[in-house]
Amino acid sequence: MKKIRIIEAPKHIGETVTIGGWISNKRSSGKIAFLQLRDGSAYFQGVVVKSEVEESVFDLAKSLTQESSVWVTGIIQEDTRSKFGYEIHVKEIEIIGESKDYPITPKEHGTEFLMDHRHLWLRSSKQHAIMQIRNEVIRATYEFFNKEGFLKVDPPILTGNAAEDTTELFHTQYFEYDAFLSQSGQLYMEAAAMALGKVFSFGPTFRAEKSKTRRHLIEFWMIEPEMAFMNQEESLEIQEKYVAYLVQSVLNNCDMALEILERDKELLKKYTTLPYPRISYDEAVELLKENDFEIEWGEDFGSPQETFIANQYDQPVFILNYPKAIKPFYMKPHPDRDDVVLCADMIAPEGYGEIIGGSQREDDYEALQTQLEKHGLDIKDYDWYLDLRKYGSVPHSGFGLGLERTITWLSGTEHIREAIPFPRLLNRIYP
């Protein structure tokens, strides 16, 4: 008997096949049992008609419990009533592993309960759909940067340098040396860009912030491109092109997942139109003041402010040129103003906040050294980083996109922790 996965059902209409899967739910009447089957590739219905199978098979179908694993053999047929469009008319059932008292029943459960049972919640149709979107974003990321001529480079996870505020670092010991879990691969990627031109990294990032908002994680994944011979405006064009590419790829390849999540696909289509709007930090502050927000020039934006700004547009929006005092040491000052830097945050619509932060990097040796000293950083720890400005420095820019927050936005889910496969230790300690 031919063994297939559920996702392959459209290729086997009218054929008798065997599928291994789990019972996600079931219902039955006196003459028919309906089994909701999943196998990791998709969900669909198994129909067991009492008059068409042996009595023992029908009795077994009615007694199956949630998340029991089974082999089912039957005939694939079209089912125009379902979103998937196909079902299996079951002839035989074999139990592989029984499941008793499965804790996540079809009733409503709170987020904390579900996160405590994440290893099981991952089996639900909603979480399956989110993971499909996550997979597509990862696939499309590699495809996009390969098409654009970037090389993938892997920076270290244990580092001796801070790219951002040193108070946000997880400290450890590397034999007799201090070391930190990486909060960004950016500094290393700048070195790679000086060798290879256009590069990107894709890896885990750690921020020691005890944040409990639905937008933040302590451990997450970042995509960090760096580009030699590129100014900030050129970098913005790459950023918006990349995000639009991700959105279009999800629309093209995750239709069923978007249906399960009840995501508005027409709304997502708006996010593929370029260019994205731009507003300066100065303009954003004035806009907020005009709408009764208490904020002064020089302050960073919080979630309410970002959401309000984003709501003025139908697309992701860039906020340009933040004050130097609230940004990291490596950002290049604006050529016409010393109080702001050449940087931008991309704010996602619908209240999902910042998904990209980027800037033109300081390429002058003496200017960078001065900034390191002003930030209280030990010059010796950054000798190698300064070398990039000593030996053939060039204008260069880069940015970082947070994977989980982007997935949360594209999938239209409420909590960022739904975008990670498992509640890693750090994210469980400080949810």
Side-chain angles (χ1 to χ4, degrees), residues 284-314:
V285 169
E286 290 305 311
L287 174 65
L288 292 169
K289 284 183 173 181
E290 290 169 3
N291 288 275
D292 301 322
F293 282 88
E294 293 185 4
I295 189 168
E296 296 300 326
W297 195 97
E299 297 176 1
D300 206 353
F301 301 136
S303 295
Q305 292 94 337
E306 287 181 347
T307 297
F308 181 83
I309 295 167
N311 286 343
Q312 310 309 304
Y313 304 93
D314 291 331

PDB file of all heavy atoms in Angstrom, residues 284-314:
ATOM      1  N   ALA A 284       7.995  63.264  13.500  1.00  0.00           N
ATOM      2  CA  ALA A 284       7.240  62.332  14.336  1.00  0.00           C
ATOM      3  C   ALA A 284       6.950  62.933  15.709  1.00  0.00           C
ATOM      4  O   ALA A 284       5.849  62.783  16.250  1.00  0.00           O
ATOM      5  CB  ALA A 284       8.009  61.025  14.477  1.00  0.00           C
ATOM      6  N   VAL A 285       7.948  63.615  16.281  1.00  0.00           N
ATOM      7  CA  VAL A 285       7.746  64.258  17.587  1.00  0.00           C
ATOM      8  C   VAL A 285       6.648  65.324  17.482  1.00  0.00           C
ATOM      9  O   VAL A 285       5.761  65.416  18.350  1.00  0.00           O
ATOM     10  CB  VAL A 285       9.058  64.873  18.098  1.00  0.00           C
ATOM     11  CG1 VAL A 285       8.807  65.777  19.306  1.00  0.00           C
ATOM     12  CG2 VAL A 285      10.052  63.774  18.469  1.00  0.00           C
ATOM     13  N   GLU A 286       6.692  66.133  16.432  1.00  0.00           N
ATOM     14  CA  GLU A 286       5.670  67.166  16.252  1.00  0.00           C
ATOM     15  C   GLU A 286       4.286  66.544  16.067  1.00  0.00           C
ATOM     16  O   GLU A 286       3.283  67.048  16.607  1.00  0.00           O
ATOM     17  CB  GLU A 286       6.014  68.054  15.049  1.00  0.00           C
ATOM     18  CG  GLU A 286       7.205  68.963  15.271  1.00  0.00           C
ATOM     19  CD  GLU A 286       7.035  69.831  16.505  1.00  0.00           C
ATOM     20  OE1 GLU A 286       5.956  70.455  16.633  1.00  0.00           O
ATOM     21  OE2 GLU A 286       7.956  69.863  17.349  1.00  0.00           O
ATOM     22  N   LEU A 287       4.218  65.452  15.300  1.00  0.00           N
ATOM     23  CA  LEU A 287       2.943  64.761  15.089  1.00  0.00           C
ATOM     24  C   LEU A 287       2.373  64.267  16.417  1.00  0.00           C
ATOM     25  O   LEU A 287       1.171  64.412  16.684  1.00  0.00           O
ATOM     26  CB  LEU A 287       3.151  63.584  14.135  1.00  0.00           C
ATOM     27  CG  LEU A 287       1.956  62.659  13.894  1.00  0.00           C
ATOM     28  CD1 LEU A 287       0.828  63.405  13.201  1.00  0.00           C
ATOM     29  CD2 LEU A 287       2.377  61.432  13.079  1.00  0.00           C
ATOM     30  N   LEU A 288       3.227  63.704  17.254  1.00  0.00           N
ATOM     31  CA  LEU A 288       2.773  63.188  18.543  1.00  0.00           C
ATOM     32  C   LEU A 288       2.311  64.316  19.456  1.00  0.00           C
ATOM     33  O   LEU A 288       1.280  64.206  20.141  1.00  0.00           O
ATOM     34  CB  LEU A 288       3.904  62.394  19.203  1.00  0.00           C
ATOM     35  CG  LEU A 288       4.283  61.078  18.516  1.00  0.00           C
ATOM     36  CD1 LEU A 288       5.576  60.531  19.086  1.00  0.00           C
ATOM     37  CD2 LEU A 288       3.158  60.053  18.664  1.00  0.00           C
ATOM     38  N   LYS A 289       3.053  65.408  19.474  1.00  0.00           N
ATOM     39  CA  LYS A 289       2.664  66.552  20.306  1.00  0.00           C
ATOM     40  C   LYS A 289       1.315  67.120  19.875  1.00  0.00           C
ATOM     41  O   LYS A 289       0.485  67.494  20.720  1.00  0.00           O
ATOM     42  CB  LYS A 289       3.733  67.642  20.232  1.00  0.00           C
ATOM     43  CG  LYS A 289       4.986  67.346  21.037  1.00  0.00           C
ATOM     44  CD  LYS A 289       5.955  68.526  20.965  1.00  0.00           C
ATOM     45  CE  LYS A 289       7.139  68.327  21.892  1.00  0.00           C
ATOM     46  NZ  LYS A 289       8.072  69.483  21.835  1.00  0.00           N
ATOM     47  N   GLU A 290       1.114  67.192  18.563  1.00  0.00           N
ATOM     48  CA  GLU A 290      -0.154  67.714  18.039  1.00  0.00           C
ATOM     49  C   GLU A 290      -1.342  66.841  18.421  1.00  0.00           C
ATOM     50  O   GLU A 290      -2.486  67.289  18.376  1.00  0.00           O
ATOM     51  CB  GLU A 290      -0.076  67.824  16.516  1.00  0.00           C
ATOM     52  CG  GLU A 290       0.857  68.922  16.024  1.00  0.00           C
ATOM     53  CD  GLU A 290       1.114  68.817  14.533  1.00  0.00           C
ATOM     54  OE1 GLU A 290       0.513  67.910  13.888  1.00  0.00           O
ATOM     55  OE2 GLU A 290       1.923  69.610  14.018  1.00  0.00           O
ATOM     56  N   ASN A 291      -1.046  65.595  18.794  1.00  0.00           N
ATOM     57  CA  ASN A 291      -2.108  64.655  19.160  1.00  0.00           C
ATOM     58  C   ASN A 291      -2.038  64.271  20.644  1.00  0.00           C
ATOM     59  O   ASN A 291      -2.417  63.166  21.029  1.00  0.00           O
ATOM     60  CB  ASN A 291      -2.024  63.422  18.275  1.00  0.00           C
ATOM     61  CG  ASN A 291      -2.471  63.710  16.854  1.00  0.00           C
ATOM     62  OD1 ASN A 291      -3.653  63.656  16.545  1.00  0.00           O
ATOM     63  ND2 ASN A 291      -1.508  64.024  15.988  1.00  0.00           N
ATOM     64  N   ASP A 292      -1.553  65.256  21.450  1.00  0.00           N
ATOM     65  CA  ASP A 292      -1.640  65.200  22.917  1.00  0.00           C
ATOM     66  C   ASP A 292      -0.767  64.129  23.562  1.00  0.00           C
ATOM     67  O   ASP A 292      -1.048  63.702  24.691  1.00  0.00           O
ATOM     68  CB  ASP A 292      -3.097  65.006  23.363  1.00  0.00           C
ATOM     69  CG  ASP A 292      -3.993  66.131  22.871  1.00  0.00           C
ATOM     70  OD1 ASP A 292      -3.524  67.288  22.857  1.00  0.00           O
ATOM     71  OD2 ASP A 292      -5.146  65.849  22.495  1.00  0.00           O
ATOM     72  N   PHE A 293       0.298  63.688  22.884  1.00  0.00           N
ATOM     73  CA  PHE A 293       1.274  62.819  23.532  1.00  0.00           C
ATOM     74  C   PHE A 293       2.275  63.689  24.291  1.00  0.00           C
ATOM     75  O   PHE A 293       2.713  64.733  23.785  1.00  0.00           O
ATOM     76  CB  PHE A 293       2.033  61.971  22.499  1.00  0.00           C
ATOM     77  CG  PHE A 293       1.253  60.792  21.985  1.00  0.00           C
ATOM     78  CD1 PHE A 293       0.413  60.928  20.890  1.00  0.00           C
ATOM     79  CD2 PHE A 293       1.362  59.556  22.594  1.00  0.00           C
ATOM     80  CE1 PHE A 293      -0.307  59.847  20.398  1.00  0.00           C
ATOM     81  CE2 PHE A 293       0.644  58.454  22.109  1.00  0.00           C
ATOM     82  CZ  PHE A 293      -0.198  58.605  21.021  1.00  0.00           C
ATOM     83  N   GLU A 294       2.624  63.263  25.481  1.00  0.00           N
ATOM     84  CA  GLU A 294       3.631  63.973  26.267  1.00  0.00           C
ATOM     85  C   GLU A 294       5.006  63.424  25.911  1.00  0.00           C
ATOM     86  O   GLU A 294       5.419  62.361  26.374  1.00  0.00           O
ATOM     87  CB  GLU A 294       3.362  63.805  27.763  1.00  0.00           C
ATOM     88  CG  GLU A 294       2.087  64.487  28.228  1.00  0.00           C
ATOM     89  CD  GLU A 294       1.910  64.397  29.729  1.00  0.00           C
ATOM     90  OE1 GLU A 294       2.814  63.870  30.415  1.00  0.00           O
ATOM     91  OE2 GLU A 294       0.853  64.840  30.219  1.00  0.00           O
ATOM     92  N   ILE A 295       5.698  64.144  25.066  1.00  0.00           N
ATOM     93  CA  ILE A 295       7.025  63.711  24.617  1.00  0.00           C
ATOM     94  C   ILE A 295       7.844  64.935  24.273  1.00  0.00           C
ATOM     95  O   ILE A 295       7.312  65.942  23.777  1.00  0.00           O
ATOM     96  CB  ILE A 295       6.926  62.763  23.406  1.00  0.00           C
ATOM     97  CG1 ILE A 295       8.295  62.157  23.083  1.00  0.00           C
ATOM     98  CG2 ILE A 295       6.313  63.461  22.194  1.00  0.00           C
ATOM     99  CD1 ILE A 295       8.261  60.996  22.101  1.00  0.00           C
ATOM    100  N   GLU A 296       9.124  64.886  24.550  1.00  0.00           N
ATOM    101  CA  GLU A 296      10.041  65.966  24.219  1.00  0.00           C
ATOM    102  C   GLU A 296      11.078  65.461  23.230  1.00  0.00           C
ATOM    103  O   GLU A 296      11.395  64.270  23.190  1.00  0.00           O
ATOM    104  CB  GLU A 296      10.734  66.488  25.481  1.00  0.00           C
ATOM    105  CG  GLU A 296       9.788  67.125  26.490  1.00  0.00           C
ATOM    106  CD  GLU A 296       9.040  68.332  25.934  1.00  0.00           C
ATOM    107  OE1 GLU A 296       9.636  69.066  25.103  1.00  0.00           O
ATOM    108  OE2 GLU A 296       7.868  68.518  26.310  1.00  0.00           O
ATOM    109  N   TRP A 297      11.612  66.399  22.439  1.00  0.00           N
ATOM    110  CA  TRP A 297      12.665  66.037  21.490  1.00  0.00           C
ATOM    111  C   TRP A 297      13.832  65.440  22.269  1.00  0.00           C
ATOM    112  O   TRP A 297      14.256  65.974  23.294  1.00  0.00           O
ATOM    113  CB  TRP A 297      13.132  67.264  20.717  1.00  0.00           C
ATOM    114  CG  TRP A 297      13.940  66.914  19.499  1.00  0.00           C
ATOM    115  CD1 TRP A 297      13.485  66.823  18.220  1.00  0.00           C
ATOM    116  CD2 TRP A 297      15.349  66.609  19.456  1.00  0.00           C
ATOM    117  NE1 TRP A 297      14.505  66.456  17.376  1.00  0.00           N
ATOM    118  CE2 TRP A 297      15.674  66.323  18.112  1.00  0.00           C
ATOM    119  CE3 TRP A 297      16.345  66.522  20.412  1.00  0.00           C
ATOM    120  CZ2 TRP A 297      16.958  65.979  17.697  1.00  0.00           C
ATOM    121  CZ3 TRP A 297      17.633  66.169  20.011  1.00  0.00           C
ATOM    122  CH2 TRP A 297      17.930  65.908  18.675  1.00  0.00           C
ATOM    123  N   GLY A 298      14.359  64.319  21.787  1.00  0.00           N
ATOM    124  CA  GLY A 298      15.459  63.649  22.452  1.00  0.00           C
ATOM    125  C   GLY A 298      15.038  62.383  23.170  1.00  0.00           C
ATOM    126  O   GLY A 298      15.894  61.585  23.569  1.00  0.00           O
ATOM    127  N   GLU A 299      13.734  62.191  23.350  1.00  0.00           N
ATOM    128  CA  GLU A 299      13.228  60.975  23.988  1.00  0.00           C
ATOM    129  C   GLU A 299      12.957  59.909  22.933  1.00  0.00           C
ATOM    130  O   GLU A 299      12.568  60.221  21.797  1.00  0.00           O
ATOM    131  CB  GLU A 299      11.952  61.269  24.774  1.00  0.00           C
ATOM    132  CG  GLU A 299      12.143  62.238  25.922  1.00  0.00           C
ATOM    133  CD  GLU A 299      10.835  62.580  26.625  1.00  0.00           C
ATOM    134  OE1 GLU A 299       9.783  62.037  26.209  1.00  0.00           O
ATOM    135  OE2 GLU A 299      10.876  63.371  27.566  1.00  0.00           O
ATOM    136  N   ASP A 300      13.129  58.660  23.317  1.00  0.00           N
ATOM    137  CA  ASP A 300      12.828  57.557  22.405  1.00  0.00           C
ATOM    138  C   ASP A 300      11.333  57.299  22.414  1.00  0.00           C
ATOM    139  O   ASP A 300      10.610  57.688  23.339  1.00  0.00           O
ATOM    140  CB  ASP A 300      13.586  56.301  22.832  1.00  0.00           C
ATOM    141  CG  ASP A 300      13.830  55.359  21.665  1.00  0.00           C
ATOM    142  OD1 ASP A 300      13.309  55.622  20.570  1.00  0.00           O
ATOM    143  OD2 ASP A 300      14.546  54.355  21.857  1.00  0.00           O
ATOM    144  N   PHE A 301      10.859  56.624  21.379  1.00  0.00           N
ATOM    145  CA  PHE A 301       9.438  56.304  21.276  1.00  0.00           C
ATOM    146  C   PHE A 301       9.142  54.971  21.947  1.00  0.00           C
ATOM    147  O   PHE A 301       9.902  54.008  21.811  1.00  0.00           O
ATOM    148  CB  PHE A 301       8.999  56.230  19.811  1.00  0.00           C
ATOM    149  CG  PHE A 301       9.221  57.506  19.046  1.00  0.00           C
ATOM    150  CD1 PHE A 301       9.763  57.489  17.772  1.00  0.00           C
ATOM    151  CD2 PHE A 301       8.880  58.730  19.603  1.00  0.00           C
ATOM    152  CE1 PHE A 301       9.970  58.650  17.058  1.00  0.00           C
ATOM    153  CE2 PHE A 301       9.083  59.918  18.905  1.00  0.00           C
ATOM    154  CZ  PHE A 301       9.638  59.880  17.625  1.00  0.00           C
ATOM    155  N   GLY A 302       8.030  54.906  22.652  1.00  0.00           N
ATOM    156  CA  GLY A 302       7.554  53.652  23.203  1.00  0.00           C
ATOM    157  C   GLY A 302       6.501  53.042  22.292  1.00  0.00           C
ATOM    158  O   GLY A 302       6.181  53.577  21.224  1.00  0.00           O
ATOM    159  N   SER A 303       5.936  51.937  22.730  1.00  0.00           N
ATOM    160  CA  SER A 303       4.950  51.230  21.905  1.00  0.00           C
ATOM    161  C   SER A 303       3.741  52.099  21.536  1.00  0.00           C
ATOM    162  O   SER A 303       3.311  52.089  20.372  1.00  0.00           O
ATOM    163  CB  SER A 303       4.488  49.960  22.625  1.00  0.00           C
ATOM    164  OG  SER A 303       5.560  49.063  22.765  1.00  0.00           O
ATOM    165  N   PRO A 304       3.146  52.859  22.462  1.00  0.00           N
ATOM    166  CA  PRO A 304       1.979  53.673  22.079  1.00  0.00           C
ATOM    167  C   PRO A 304       2.312  54.696  20.999  1.00  0.00           C
ATOM    168  O   PRO A 304       1.521  54.919  20.072  1.00  0.00           O
ATOM    169  CB  PRO A 304       1.587  54.360  23.398  1.00  0.00           C
ATOM    170  CG  PRO A 304       2.141  53.492  24.473  1.00  0.00           C
ATOM    171  CD  PRO A 304       3.412  52.947  23.918  1.00  0.00           C
ATOM    172  N   GLN A 305       3.499  55.328  21.125  1.00  0.00           N
ATOM    173  CA  GLN A 305       3.890  56.326  20.127  1.00  0.00           C
ATOM    174  C   GLN A 305       4.140  55.683  18.769  1.00  0.00           C
ATOM    175  O   GLN A 305       3.716  56.203  17.733  1.00  0.00           O
ATOM    176  CB  GLN A 305       5.143  57.078  20.598  1.00  0.00           C
ATOM    177  CG  GLN A 305       4.911  57.963  21.802  1.00  0.00           C
ATOM    178  CD  GLN A 305       5.232  57.277  23.105  1.00  0.00           C
ATOM    179  OE1 GLN A 305       5.228  56.041  23.190  1.00  0.00           O
ATOM    180  NE2 GLN A 305       5.512  58.057  24.140  1.00  0.00           N
ATOM    181  N   GLU A 306       4.854  54.543  18.763  1.00  0.00           N
ATOM    182  CA  GLU A 306       5.109  53.859  17.495  1.00  0.00           C
ATOM    183  C   GLU A 306       3.811  53.432  16.830  1.00  0.00           C
ATOM    184  O   GLU A 306       3.659  53.559  15.609  1.00  0.00           O
ATOM    185  CB  GLU A 306       5.997  52.635  17.737  1.00  0.00           C
ATOM    186  CG  GLU A 306       7.443  52.953  18.036  1.00  0.00           C
ATOM    187  CD  GLU A 306       8.287  51.708  18.237  1.00  0.00           C
ATOM    188  OE1 GLU A 306       7.714  50.611  18.388  1.00  0.00           O
ATOM    189  OE2 GLU A 306       9.524  51.834  18.243  1.00  0.00           O
ATOM    190  N   THR A 307       2.881  52.925  17.629  1.00  0.00           N
ATOM    191  CA  THR A 307       1.603  52.475  17.075  1.00  0.00           C
ATOM    192  C   THR A 307       0.834  53.633  16.469  1.00  0.00           C
ATOM    193  O   THR A 307       0.264  53.519  15.371  1.00  0.00           O
ATOM    194  CB  THR A 307       0.764  51.792  18.168  1.00  0.00           C
ATOM    195  OG1 THR A 307       1.457  50.630  18.634  1.00  0.00           O
ATOM    196  CG2 THR A 307      -0.597  51.376  17.629  1.00  0.00           C
ATOM    197  N   PHE A 308       0.822  54.781  17.165  1.00  0.00           N
ATOM    198  CA  PHE A 308       0.105  55.952  16.640  1.00  0.00           C
ATOM    199  C   PHE A 308       0.709  56.399  15.317  1.00  0.00           C
ATOM    200  O   PHE A 308      -0.019  56.681  14.349  1.00  0.00           O
ATOM    201  CB  PHE A 308       0.142  57.101  17.649  1.00  0.00           C
ATOM    202  CG  PHE A 308      -0.591  58.326  17.170  1.00  0.00           C
ATOM    203  CD1 PHE A 308      -1.966  58.428  17.313  1.00  0.00           C
ATOM    204  CD2 PHE A 308       0.099  59.364  16.546  1.00  0.00           C
ATOM    205  CE1 PHE A 308      -2.649  59.555  16.839  1.00  0.00           C
ATOM    206  CE2 PHE A 308      -0.570  60.490  16.075  1.00  0.00           C
ATOM    207  CZ  PHE A 308      -1.949  60.578  16.227  1.00  0.00           C
ATOM    208  N   ILE A 309       2.038  56.482  15.267  1.00  0.00           N
ATOM    209  CA  ILE A 309       2.700  56.895  14.025  1.00  0.00           C
ATOM    210  C   ILE A 309       2.375  55.921  12.895  1.00  0.00           C
ATOM    211  O   ILE A 309       2.032  56.325  11.780  1.00  0.00           O
ATOM    212  CB  ILE A 309       4.222  56.990  14.242  1.00  0.00           C
ATOM    213  CG1 ILE A 309       4.540  58.112  15.235  1.00  0.00           C
ATOM    214  CG2 ILE A 309       4.937  57.236  12.915  1.00  0.00           C
ATOM    215  CD1 ILE A 309       5.959  58.082  15.761  1.00  0.00           C
ATOM    216  N   ALA A 310       2.472  54.621  13.190  1.00  0.00           N
ATOM    217  CA  ALA A 310       2.199  53.609  12.164  1.00  0.00           C
ATOM    218  C   ALA A 310       0.768  53.690  11.659  1.00  0.00           C
ATOM    219  O   ALA A 310       0.501  53.447  10.470  1.00  0.00           O
ATOM    220  CB  ALA A 310       2.478  52.219  12.718  1.00  0.00           C
ATOM    221  N   ASN A 311      -0.163  54.040  12.540  1.00  0.00           N
ATOM    222  CA  ASN A 311      -1.578  54.105  12.163  1.00  0.00           C
ATOM    223  C   ASN A 311      -1.900  55.248  11.206  1.00  0.00           C
ATOM    224  O   ASN A 311      -3.016  55.323  10.677  1.00  0.00           O
ATOM    225  CB  ASN A 311      -2.455  54.218  13.407  1.00  0.00           C
ATOM    226  CG  ASN A 311      -2.549  52.916  14.178  1.00  0.00           C
ATOM    227  OD1 ASN A 311      -2.227  51.846  13.661  1.00  0.00           O
ATOM    228  ND2 ASN A 311      -2.970  52.987  15.429  1.00  0.00           N
ATOM    229  N   GLN A 312      -0.936  56.120  10.983  1.00  0.00           N
ATOM    230  CA  GLN A 312      -1.163  57.208  10.025  1.00  0.00           C
ATOM    231  C   GLN A 312      -0.917  56.745   8.591  1.00  0.00           C
ATOM    232  O   GLN A 312      -1.151  57.502   7.642  1.00  0.00           O
ATOM    233  CB  GLN A 312      -0.231  58.394  10.342  1.00  0.00           C
ATOM    234  CG  GLN A 312      -0.231  58.849  11.789  1.00  0.00           C
ATOM    235  CD  GLN A 312      -1.609  59.093  12.344  1.00  0.00           C
ATOM    236  OE1 GLN A 312      -2.386  59.887  11.802  1.00  0.00           O
ATOM    237  NE2 GLN A 312      -1.938  58.398  13.432  1.00  0.00           N
ATOM    238  N   TYR A 313      -0.472  55.520   8.446  1.00  0.00           N
ATOM    239  CA  TYR A 313      -0.095  55.003   7.126  1.00  0.00           C
ATOM    240  C   TYR A 313      -0.723  53.626   6.896  1.00  0.00           C
ATOM    241  O   TYR A 313      -1.112  52.948   7.834  1.00  0.00           O
ATOM    242  CB  TYR A 313       1.432  54.905   7.007  1.00  0.00           C
ATOM    243  CG  TYR A 313       2.139  56.210   7.278  1.00  0.00           C
ATOM    244  CD1 TYR A 313       2.593  56.508   8.563  1.00  0.00           C
ATOM    245  CD2 TYR A 313       2.339  57.148   6.272  1.00  0.00           C
ATOM    246  CE1 TYR A 313       3.240  57.713   8.830  1.00  0.00           C
ATOM    247  CE2 TYR A 313       2.982  58.341   6.524  1.00  0.00           C
ATOM    248  CZ  TYR A 313       3.430  58.626   7.811  1.00  0.00           C
ATOM    249  OH  TYR A 313       4.064  59.821   8.074  1.00  0.00           O
ATOM    250  N   ASP A 314      -0.804  53.235   5.623  1.00  0.00           N
ATOM    251  CA  ASP A 314      -1.337  51.922   5.258  1.00  0.00           C
ATOM    252  C   ASP A 314      -0.244  50.890   5.039  1.00  0.00           C
ATOM    253  O   ASP A 314      -0.520  49.768   4.613  1.00  0.00           O
ATOM    254  CB  ASP A 314      -2.171  52.022   3.976  1.00  0.00           C
ATOM    255  CG  ASP A 314      -3.462  52.801   4.190  1.00  0.00           C
ATOM    256  OD1 ASP A 314      -3.974  52.779   5.332  1.00  0.00           O
ATOM    257  OD2 ASP A 314      -3.929  53.428   3.230  1.00  0.00           O
TER     258      ASP A 314
END
